[in-house]
């Protein structure tokens, strides 16, 4: 499926299959049962979930009014954010580790961070929520924010 860059993907639901999304500036909401999600170059509200599969999301820019929510049950979550972006982060996993490139402290499989990416931003900047059951969570530094 090909859609215009500024389009919104209101709902994509897959039972058996993977999803690749690239370059959408509108909101993206998708859920999968058996499959992996790969998303790159996104800048709207992002809500991705999968039951059996991993999620890799590369965010082009974070919007203070729109957040990023990634949920997995069985599979790793990797979020790549621009190095100059500001965000409030909450991440948790039951069975798996949490790592990040931003120096956020991890406490018993979860952490809550304020302003992890740009200290001069207010705490109410973009919200990132990452949740996993059986898998790791990694937050990585990408290129510069736009």
């Amino acid at each position: 499926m090909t859609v215009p860059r500024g389009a919104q993907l209101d709902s994509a639901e897959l039972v058996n299959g993977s999803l690749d999304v690239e370059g959408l500036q509108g909101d993206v909401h998708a859920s999968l049962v058996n499959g992996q999600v790969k998303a790159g170059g996104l800048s709207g509200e992002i809500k991705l979930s999968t039951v059996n599969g991993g999620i890799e999301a590369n965010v082009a820019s974070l919007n203070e009014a729109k957040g990023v929510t990634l949920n997995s049950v069985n599979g790793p979550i990797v979020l790549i954010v621009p190095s100059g972006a500001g965000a409030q982060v909450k991440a948790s996993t039951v069975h798996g580790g949490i790592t990040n490139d931003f120096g956020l402290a991890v406490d018993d499989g979860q952490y809550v961070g304020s302003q992890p990416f740009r200290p001069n931003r207010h705490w109410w900047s973009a919200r990132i929520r990452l949740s996993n059951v059986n898998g790791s969570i990694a937050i990585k530094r990408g290129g510069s924010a736009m």
Side-chain angles (χ1 to χ4, degrees):
M1 174 171 68
T2 303
V3 297
R5 183 175 293 279
Q8 285 190 182
L9 184 58
D10 285 331
S11 178
E13 298 176 8
L14 295 142
V15 175
N16 291 309
S18 295
L19 177 67
D20 291 334
V21 179
E22 184 67 38
L24 277 181
Q25 295 172 351
D27 299 346
V28 176
H29 301 169
S31 62
L32 287 76
V33 175
N34 296 310
Q36 182 172 357
V37 179
K38 285 192 177 186
L42 305 182
S43 58
E45 179 180 56
I46 302 164
K47 291 185 177 181
L48 303 172
S49 66
T50 183
V51 176
N52 294 310
I55 300 173
E56 181 178 320
N58 189 334
V59 179
S61 64
L62 291 172
N63 183 324
E64 289 184 18
K66 300 182 178 206
V68 175
T69 303
L70 306 178
N71 298 302
S72 179
V73 176
N74 295 306
I77 294 175
V78 177
L79 175 64
I80 303 166
V81 296
S83 61
Q88 179 186 26
V89 178
K90 288 189 178 182
S92 65
T93 183
V94 177
H95 301 287
I98 298 175
T99 60
N100 69 88
D101 293 345
F102 298 94
L104 295 171
V106 177
D107 183 25
D108 292 330
Q110 63 182 342
Y111 63 77
V112 177
S114 279
Q115 312 164 24
F117 310 120
R118 191 186 312 168
N120 63 348
R121 295 289 298 258
H122 298 294
W123 67 269
W124 56 82
S125 57
R127 292 179 184 230
I128 296 174
R129 302 292 179 259
L130 309 172
S131 176
N132 208 336
V133 177
N134 295 308
S136 62
I137 296 175
I139 304 173
K140 298 183 177 188
R141 186 182 311 268
S144 298
M146 297 180 178

